[in-house]
């Protein structure tokens, strides 16, 4: 898979935050690439600036140092779509499921017959067709997160940025929904970057895991995840001998302080 | 993966729960009414037997008599009409201008920071103190009274709405920004709809504020309205008239409150 073309590359990116009382060095000289249709997870201790990386890739904030390229173009010049999925679903309670899903298209002033049909098809394909006129409060947490994903996919982005999108769910829902969402992302052929601090989740979902150190974060190690069989479910992967090996490797790496 | 649906098959225990709830609700309404009835009854009784001085404390029957007299002379409805009109105009202007200022301050954070101390001081300043100035500037008519109502309600709605705007969930704003939303889109699609209940609670407060403003204005200008009746009654030691004015105000205030509650239930 990594032989595909590069979609995103970070070159020596550093990021500092300034407040009146202190200066925080969040990222220190981070470089990595993400290839087409790859699922990469960024793992790291909490507060290490994982989310900052996503904000940088989305272009919402600018790095203090270094460059970010999307499709080999500098991020300031590129217009390919990058879409965010956040920790909470952030569905707007006063809008129906359908209206929520169309929010991104409305904002991008891209709401036409075709794009609307595309969004509605996504809802249909992933089993939410019967709920399009419901309000978010009528759906369960897992379903809401799925709607949030479809809202993200509706703008037909090339890259998905997932900022701990499962952490607000209970454990059981979390496993089944992360599985389902991985499936959807795979079918829709998207490149994704997931931020997480759950090692098991990272192993089950990703093709590659990037481990960050404590602040100021550096890339500690990049681990390719490969199982013997290709399309195992999360639960099946957890039973594989390879799972434990990866888990130990990542665990050690994350707990090994320098 | 379930959808919440209303269950209508209750167990016996649930019926007992419902019964208890209804009983409690009934008792609350019952006591509310009894206290009111007892108050009126005792007031009437004590003043009729001269245990309390009816000249100073009036009585329900005297208030009723005064209302009839006012009605016959035509003063009743014209004064209510004046007070109501002024309150409604003051209320609408105060709310609309208040919300507009709040939007302006939300939009330009720099202006908001600059204006902060002025807002705080103007909010704390008793607006009655401005009465003489307002009368000199606006003349002794409805204009002054509405200005007073406006001053009292506008600042409260601005502060209320602004804090509501600032309380909008940050992650929702982040989501909007990740879609590349412009400021006007954020305002229309998040800030305003998110604050509907806040707008309604501002309306509720403003109804009261405008009425306070109008009565204060009428006290100062003293030509027409319920406030005028009260101040006039006080000057000629006709406390029946004062009490009648207060009674009419209580009725107006509760009617307006009910009106706003109706609007509120529509949006829920």
């Amino acid at each position: 898979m990594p032989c595909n073309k590069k979609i995103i590359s970070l070159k020596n990116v550093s990021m500092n935050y300034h407040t009146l009382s202190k200066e925080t060095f969040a990222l220190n000289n981070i470089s990595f690439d993400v290839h087409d249709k790859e699922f990469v997870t960024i793992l790291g201790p909490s507060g290490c600036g994982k989310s900052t990386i996503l904000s940088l890739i989305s272009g919402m904030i600018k790095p203090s140092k270094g460059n970010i390229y999307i499709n080999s173009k500098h991020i300031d010049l590129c217009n390919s779509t990058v879409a965010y999925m956040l920790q909470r679903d952030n569905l707007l309670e006063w809008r129906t499921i359908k209206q929520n899903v169309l929010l991104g298209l409305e904002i991008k002033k891209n709401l036409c017959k075709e794009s609307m049909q595309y969004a509605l098809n996504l809802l249909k394909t992933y089993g939410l067709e019967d709920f399009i006129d419901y309000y978010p409060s009528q759906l369960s947490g897992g379903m809401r997160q799925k709607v949030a994903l479809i809202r993200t996919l509706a703008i037909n982005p090339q890259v998905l940025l997932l900022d701990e999108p499962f952490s607000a769910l209970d454990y059981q829902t979390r496993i089944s929904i992360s599985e389902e969402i991985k499936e959807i992302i795979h079918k829709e052929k998207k490149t994704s970057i997931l931020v997480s601090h759950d090692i098991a989740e990272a192993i089950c979902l990703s093709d590659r895991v990037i481990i960050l150190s404590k602040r100021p974060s550096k890339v500690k190690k990049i681990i390719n995840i490969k199982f013997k069989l290709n399309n195992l479910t999360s639960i099946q992967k957890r039973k594989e001998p390879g799972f434990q090996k990866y888990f130990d490797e990542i665990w050690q790496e994350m707990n090994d302080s320098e | 993966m379930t959808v919440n649906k209303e269950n209508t098959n209750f167990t016996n225990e649930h019926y007992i729960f419902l019964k208890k709830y209804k009983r409690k609700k009934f008792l609350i309404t019952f006591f509310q009414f009894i206290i009111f009835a007892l108050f009126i009854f005792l007031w009437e009784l004590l003043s009729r037997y001269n245990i309390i001085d009816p000249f100073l404390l009036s009585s329900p029957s005297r208030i009723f008599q005064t209302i009839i007299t006012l009605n016959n002379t035509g003063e009743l409805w014209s004064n209510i009409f004046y007070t109501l009109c002024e309150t409604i105009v003051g209320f609408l202007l105060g709310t609309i201008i208040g919300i507009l200022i709040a939007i302006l301050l939300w939009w330009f954070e720099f202006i908001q920071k600059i204006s902060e101390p002025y807002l705080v001081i103007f909010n704390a300043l008793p607006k009655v103190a401005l009465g003489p100035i307002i009368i000199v500037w606006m003349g002794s008519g409805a204009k002054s009274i509405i200005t007073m109502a406006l001053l009292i309600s506008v600042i409260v709605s601005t502060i209320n709405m602004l804090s509501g705007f600032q309380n909008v969930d940050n992650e929702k704003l982040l989501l909007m920004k990740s879609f590349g939303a412009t400021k006007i889109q954020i305002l229309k699609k998040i800030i305003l709809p998110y604050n509907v209940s806040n707008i309604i609670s501002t309306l509720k407060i403003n109804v009261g504020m405008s009425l306070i403003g109008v009565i204060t204005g009428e006290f100062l200008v003293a030509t027409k309205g319920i406030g005028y009746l009260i101040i006039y009654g006080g000057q000629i030691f006709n406390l029946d008239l004062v009490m009648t004015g207060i009674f009419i105000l209580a009725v107006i205030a509760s009617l307006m409150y009910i009106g706003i509650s109706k609007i509120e239930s529509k949006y829920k």
Side-chain angles (χ1 to χ4, degrees):
Chain A
M1 197 166 304
C3 58
N4 277 339
K5 67 168 183 159
K6 276 186 216 168
I7 295 285
I8 294 171
S9 46
L10 276 73
K11 294 247 185 302
N12 309 322
V13 170
S14 297
M15 184 72 202
N16 311 327
Y17 287 108
H18 304 274
T19 60
L20 279 183
S21 55
K22 64 177 178 192
E23 196 174 11
T24 310
F25 301 100
L27 303 175
N28 179 20
N29 214 11
I30 301 260
S31 301
F32 64 85
D33 299 326
V34 179
H35 302 92
D36 195 22
K37 299 187 192 58
E38 199 181 15
F39 197 118
V40 171
T41 298
I42 301 173
L43 266 180
S46 50
C48 76
K50 296 174 297 225
S51 301
T52 305
I53 295 182
L54 295 190
S55 300
L56 286 167
I57 296 171
S58 76
M60 282 193 285
I61 55 174
K62 303 230 169 309
S64 308
K65 258 185 240 157
N67 290 302
I68 298 163
Y69 301 92
I70 298 184
N71 294 322
S72 345
K73 275 188 203 152
H74 195 273
I75 193 163
D76 292 336
L77 305 168
C78 89
N79 54 3
S80 80
T81 39
V82 171
Y84 234 113
M85 186 169 166
L86 299 156
Q87 205 171 94
R88 284 178 287 130
D89 53 64
N90 285 302
L91 298 179
L92 306 180
E93 299 296 340
W94 56 88
R95 284 174 164 245
T96 62
I97 296 307
K98 180 178 160 187
Q99 290 167 333
N100 263 298
V101 164
L102 298 178
L103 180 71
L105 291 169
E106 270 173 44
I107 290 167
K108 290 189 174 295
K109 299 213 165 71
N110 203 5
L111 189 59
C112 58
K113 238 184 184 168
E114 276 169 35
S115 61
M116 185 146 131
Q117 201 50 54
Y118 177 71
L120 291 179
N121 274 337
L122 285 171
L123 281 171
K124 195 173 166 184
T125 314
Y126 300 113
L128 288 163
E129 193 187 18
D130 295 340
F131 304 108
I132 55 172
D133 293 322
Y134 281 56
Y135 285 91
S137 59
Q138 294 169 293
L139 303 194
S140 67
M143 279 170 108
R144 291 175 62 125
Q145 203 54 278
K146 236 164 87 176
V147 174
L149 175 70
I150 292 172
R151 176 186 59 198
T152 316
L153 290 171
I155 58 171
N156 202 2
Q158 196 180 8
V159 180
L160 287 176
L161 306 174
L162 311 166
D163 192 352
E164 305 201 32
F166 313 118
S167 60
L169 302 172
D170 63 85
Y171 193 67
Q172 226 177 333
T173 317
R174 181 174 182 153
I175 290 180
S176 63
I177 277 295
S178 62
E179 179 72 26
E180 218 173 326
I181 280 179
K182 155 109 201 209
E183 192 89 338
I184 296 172
I185 289 172
H186 185 73
K187 266 192 211 156
E188 300 298 324
K189 299 188 174 59
K190 302 293 180 196
T191 308
S192 339
I193 305 176
L194 170 73
V195 154
S196 178
H197 51 242
D198 185 327
I199 300 176
E201 188 174 275
I203 298 171
C204 291
L205 296 178
S206 15
D207 303 314
R208 243 169 359 125
V209 176
I210 297 173
I211 301 167
L212 295 185
S213 67
K214 273 192 300 213
R215 256 193 344 238
S217 307
K218 283 180 285 193
V219 177
K220 255 188 144 177
K221 194 161 191 186
I222 298 181
I223 296 174
N224 288 308
I225 306 283
K226 193 117 185 75
F227 285 95
K228 277 182 217 127
L229 294 167
N230 255 337
N231 31 28
L232 294 174
T233 65
S234 289
I235 295 293
Q236 286 166 334
K237 278 182 186 171
R238 279 165 206 255
K239 289 179 194 145
E240 286 284 304
F243 179 85
Q244 197 56 44
K245 197 193 90 208
Y246 286 129
F247 195 99
D248 290 340
E249 191 180 352
I250 296 170
W251 176 265
Q252 207 137 59
E253 204 58 57
M254 284 179 75
N255 284 291
D256 164 33
S257 43
E258 298 314 294
Chain B
M1 290 267 175
T2 50
V3 174
N4 303 332
K5 272 199 183 129
E6 296 288 324
N7 186 7
T8 44
N9 287 325
F10 299 137
T11 59
N12 230 1
E13 193 182 322
H14 191 77
Y15 279 116
I16 294 170
F17 165 79
L18 287 180
K19 222 174 175 181
K20 268 189 185 161
Y21 177 78
K22 273 180 194 152
R23 198 180 139 76
K24 194 175 164 193
K25 230 179 158 184
F26 169 76
L27 279 178
I28 290 172
T29 321
F30 176 74
F31 278 113
Q32 282 170 339
F33 178 75
I34 279 294
I35 287 171
F36 179 71
L38 210 65
F39 175 71
I40 299 289
F41 176 75
L42 279 177
W43 188 8
E44 184 63 41
L45 200 74
L46 292 176
S47 70
R48 190 152 290 186
Y49 290 99
N50 270 321
I51 300 169
I52 57 172
D53 189 348
F55 175 73
L56 292 178
L57 291 160
S58 191
S59 76
S61 62
R62 290 171 79 141
I63 290 175
F64 186 69
Q65 203 53 54
T66 314
I67 290 178
I68 302 252
T69 320
L70 285 175
N71 187 30
N72 290 340
T73 59
E75 281 172 280
L76 179 68
W77 296 106
S78 69
N79 282 314
I80 290 180
F81 179 75
Y82 269 103
T83 299
L84 263 185
C85 282
E86 287 158 353
T87 307
I88 290 169
V89 173
F91 165 72
L92 289 178
L93 280 179
T95 310
I96 292 168
I97 295 175
I99 292 176
L100 287 179
I101 295 176
I103 290 175
L104 183 92
L105 294 180
W106 171 82
W107 194 289
F108 302 104
E109 207 205 339
F110 196 63
I111 296 181
Q112 180 215 315
K113 290 272 186 278
I114 294 172
S115 61
E116 220 166 57
Y118 299 103
L119 279 181
V120 172
I121 293 169
F122 190 59
N123 185 36
L125 184 77
K127 263 61 82 180
V128 194
L130 301 174
I133 304 176
I134 295 171
I135 291 173
V136 172
W137 286 354
M138 299 286 182
S140 60
K143 253 204 247 164
S144 282
I145 295 168
I146 290 170
T147 309
M148 183 60 90
L150 187 67
L151 282 180
I152 289 185
S153 62
V154 83
I155 194 82
V156 177
S157 20
T158 300
I159 289 176
N160 242 342
M161 291 310 302
L162 186 62
S163 81
F165 290 175
Q166 289 166 334
N167 269 337
V168 171
D169 182 8
N170 257 330
E171 242 190 58
K172 290 203 166 53
L173 299 181
L174 185 68
L175 173 83
M176 294 297 279
K177 279 178 202 151
S178 80
F179 282 134
T182 58
K183 203 141 195 182
I184 188 103
Q185 283 176 324
I186 293 178
L187 180 72
K188 279 205 306 210
K189 294 195 193 294
I190 298 278
I191 303 288
L192 290 180
Y194 200 90
N195 276 287
V196 166
S197 67
N198 187 24
I199 290 175
I200 289 168
S201 81
T202 307
L203 293 184
K204 262 184 180 167
I205 297 169
N206 264 357
V207 166
M209 287 293 169
S210 309
L211 197 55
I212 293 173
V214 164
I215 298 303
T216 314
E218 285 175 354
F219 276 8
L220 293 168
V221 173
T223 50
K224 276 179 196 116
I226 305 296
Y228 155 72
L229 281 188
I230 293 172
I231 216 91
Y232 175 69
Q235 280 162 354
I236 60 167
F237 280 94
N238 182 352
L239 292 178
D240 289 341
L241 191 56
V242 175
M243 290 292 191
T244 306
I246 294 170
F247 172 74
I248 294 170
L249 277 182
V251 173
I252 290 177
S254 43
L255 285 180
M256 287 195 302
Y257 186 83
I258 291 169
I260 296 288
S261 300
K262 283 262 156 65
I263 296 175
E264 187 176 19
S265 63
K266 232 180 171 180
Y267 275 96
K268 269 194 176 157

